[in-house]
Amino acid sequence: SQQGEEDPQALSIQEGENATMNCSYKTSINNLQWYRQNSGRGLVHLILIRSNEREKHSGRLRVTLDTSKKSSSLLITASRAADTASYFCARIQGAQKLVFGQGTRLTINP
Amino acid sequence: EAQVTQNPRYLITVTGKKLTVTCSQNMNHEYMSWYRQDPGLGLRQIYYSMNVEVTDKGDVPEGYKVSRKEKRNFPLILESPSPNQTSLYFCASSNWWADNEQFFGPGTRLTVL
């Protein structure tokens, strides 16, 4: 598949716990992006990490990038019910074609 | 308010009846694209456009057409819809390049009977 691989496909945790999801890809990148999608709605941009960055933070979100392993991870700390959503990574393939992973469906249980 | 709008939001149609889904953005973005989202398959890019009169195929362009006559608009055209085009469609735009932050529309849920 030309799409990235994300794992796990689904993740269910208790409120307050941390959630980690991973994204792997096959070709070299300039940057990698993470998006959130609430059920059936449009995607919302979370973080963009460049290939020369190893880690980036935004509030309770922490993204890491390991270009040698061609992988990235998104960590959500102190999860809340409102974090229940699907999370996708995305990167460029070819000229300007943007490809998304299949996503991780995160459920936060109260 | 900066936004991407799509119309219609919901559409039920029949096989073979031509339809157009409109997409408009008010952020003066150069890059616009269309995706379809199907269960278990994630988002797949249909077509993208780098600027006015510049369009290119994504991963799943068969059965779709697009045009970019104005910078703000990027309509998706299904000349002869088929049931396998039943899906959730998203339009997105970004400043200049595909690897900049994408702004997504609210989605169009299409059912082809």
Side-chain angles (χ1 to χ4, degrees), chain A residues 2-3 30-31 33 35 37 40-43 45 48 88 92-93 95-102, chain B residues 31 35 37 40-41 43-45 48 50 57-59 88 90 97-102 104-106:
Chain A
Q2 293 183 330
Q3 295 179 295
N30 289 327
N31 64 49
Q33 303 178 51
Y35 289 82
Q37 183 184 32
R41 295 176 181 265
L43 279 71
H45 184 263
L48 182 153
F88 296 86
I92 293 293
Q93 187 170 70
Q96 287 292 321
K97 195 163 66 172
L98 190 62
V99 292
F100 284 78
Q102 294 182 6
Chain B
Y31 187 91
Y35 301 85
Q37 185 175 30
L41 296 176
L43 274 88
R44 295 178 292 168
Q45 194 177 52
Y48 64 93
M50 296 291 295
K57 296 177 180 177
D59 282 327
L88 179 58
F90 290 101
W97 312 117
D99 56 358
N100 286 333
E101 175 184 352
Q102 298 294 312
F104 278 80

Side-chain angles (χ1 to χ4, degrees), chain A residues 3-71:
Chain A
Q3 295 179 295
E5 299 293 327
E6 295 191 40
D7 74 273
Q9 288 190 345
L11 179 61
S12 181
I13 61 173
Q14 295 299 122
E15 195 166 14
E17 293 179 339
N18 296 342
T20 300
M21 51 208 89
N22 305 296
C23 168
S24 62
Y25 55 92
K26 295 189 169 93
T27 57
S28 61
I29 59 170
N30 289 327
N31 64 49
L32 187 138
Q33 303 178 51
W34 283 90
Y35 289 82
R36 182 187 72 230
Q37 183 184 32
N38 292 95
S39 180
R41 295 176 181 265
L43 279 71
V44 175
H45 184 263
L46 296 176
I47 286 185
L48 182 153
I49 185 165
R50 302 195 185 283
S51 59
N52 61 355
E53 296 175 312
R54 291 296 169 259
E55 189 170 306
K56 203 159 182 181
H57 297 254
S58 176
R60 294 183 296 111
L61 306 181
R62 175 185 157 223
V63 167
T64 60
L65 179 64
D66 187 335
T67 53
S68 66
K69 294 182 179 176
K70 291 188 169 55
S71 69

Side-chain angles (χ1 to χ4, degrees), chain B residues 59-83:
Chain B
D59 282 327
V60 288
E62 295 78 20
Y64 304 94
K65 284 175 57 176
V66 292
S67 69
R68 187 91 182 270
K69 292 187 171 59
E70 303 166 287
K71 196 172 185 180
R72 62 184 294 127
N73 297 324
F74 190 45
L76 180 70
I77 302 154
L78 285 72
E79 295 266 3
S80 184
S82 62

